[in-house]
């Protein structure tokens, strides 16, 4: 099973535990996650975005400041903007926040339901899934020289044919190198791979 398939499989395990949806930000570096997945209702995510709650969210602050699992009801950080009360109006009444990984590459997940607190067993299961997602999506520490060359030539604005000629390889070889780099960086496009490689200081 490939890494992307493994991530999909783990998210499928998380889904039935999240009656009111989930949010997972994987490997947050330089304030931006490598990947995000979320299934909260569009009405809540729209409200959250429109009010710029990410900058004030006690769940994110908790996930950044500590690792482990904590029920939302146990979070003691102040919530001066009433974000948790707002979330409850959209059905996100009870939840668990899970955080893992070093500060330089932190993963934060939040899972919600409307009817009751999560049991200890559910919290342990959710924590295990988030931890496995963190490990499964570990970004590469390095790229091969060939992959770096391919990304750099494309980042310079060259088209495939000309970029391949400059590197002295075939266009299909250039595309193969870019495809490999995209897989390692969990990028859908070469432009996204270039940006992620820059963000992670790989090029």
């Amino acid at each position: 099973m490939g890494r992307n398939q493994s991530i999909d499989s783990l998210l499928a395990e998380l889904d039935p535990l999240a009656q009111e949806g989930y949010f997972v930000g994987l490997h947050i570096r330089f304030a931006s996650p490598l990947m995000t997945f979320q299934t909260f209702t569009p009405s809540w995510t729209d409200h959250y975005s429109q009010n710029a709650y990410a900058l004030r969210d006690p769940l994110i602050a908790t996930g950044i400041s500590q690792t482990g699992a904590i029920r939302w009801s146990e979070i003691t950080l102040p919530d001066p903007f009433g974000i948790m009360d707002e979330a409850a109006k959209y059905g996100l009444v009870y939840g668990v926040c899970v955080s893992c990984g070093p500060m330089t590459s932190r993963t934060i997940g939040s899972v919600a339901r409307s009817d009751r607190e999560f049991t200890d067993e559910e919290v342990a299961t959710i924590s295990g899934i988030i931890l496995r997602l963190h490990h499964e999506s570990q970004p590469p520490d390095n790229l091969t020289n060939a992959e770096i060359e391919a990304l750099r030539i494309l980042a310079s604005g060259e088209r495939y044919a000309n970029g391949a000629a400059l590197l002295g390889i075939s266009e299909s070889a250039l595309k193969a190198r870019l495809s490999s780099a995209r897989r390692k960086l969990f990028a859908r496009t070469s432009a996204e791979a270039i940006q992620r490689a820059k963000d992670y200081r790989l090029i």
Side-chain angles (χ1 to χ4, degrees):
M1 183 183 293
R3 294 173 84 188
N4 288 332
Q5 288 177 303
S6 296
I7 290 169
D8 289 343
S9 178
L10 288 167
L11 292 172
E13 288 183 40
L14 189 62
D15 196 57
L17 293 162
Q19 181 205 60
E20 291 296 330
Y22 61 76
F23 168 86
V24 181
L26 296 169
H27 295 281
I28 300 167
R29 296 180 176 183
F30 313 111
S32 178
L34 177 65
M35 289 183 285
T36 59
F37 302 96
Q38 75 90 22
T39 60
F40 293 138
T41 62
S43 56
W44 167 245
T45 55
D46 290 346
H47 182 70
Y48 188 95
S49 298
Q50 288 164 7
N51 289 280
Y53 282 163
L55 302 173
R56 308 157 177 157
D57 191 340
L59 296 178
I60 293 177
T62 297
I64 293 296
S65 65
Q66 66 184 52
T67 57
I70 186 170
R71 291 180 179 88
W72 293 359
S73 59
E74 298 167 342
I75 291 174
T76 57
L77 289 178
D79 183 14
F81 295 92
I83 295 171
M84 301 310 295
D85 288 339
E86 283 293 300
K89 295 176 185 176
Y90 290 82
L92 285 67
V93 182
Y94 303 98
V96 176
C97 179
V98 178
S99 177
C100 60
M103 183 71 76
T104 54
S105 191
R106 184 65 50 89
T107 287
I108 300 173
S110 247
V111 180
R113 60 184 308 133
S114 61
D115 55 346
R116 61 168 175 80
E117 291 279 14
F118 286 91
T119 66
D120 290 346
E121 183 179 353
E122 288 169 335
V123 172
T125 300
I126 292 164
S127 298
I129 293 170
I130 299 296
L131 186 59
R132 284 155 59 204
L133 281 165
H134 176 79
H135 288 305
E136 192 62 40
S137 61
Q138 181 71 39
D141 291 327
N142 56 61
L143 298 171
T144 67
N145 288 336
E147 291 161 351
I148 289 170
E149 279 184 338
L151 290 171
R152 282 185 175 153
I153 202 77
L154 214 62
S156 71
E158 297 292 347
R159 296 190 178 277
Y160 289 116
N162 198 45
L166 289 170
L167 292 175
I169 59 175
S170 67
E171 189 172 339
S172 61
L174 174 62
K175 289 180 178 178
R177 293 178 184 185
L178 291 167
S179 176
S180 177
R182 286 197 302 271
R183 274 197 312 276
K184 288 182 178 180
L185 293 163
F186 299 95
R188 291 163 297 182
T189 66
S190 293
E192 189 176 3
I194 290 165
Q195 188 56 54
R196 285 186 177 170
K198 287 178 178 177
D199 290 344
Y200 290 93
R201 301 195 166 105
L202 298 174
I203 62 172

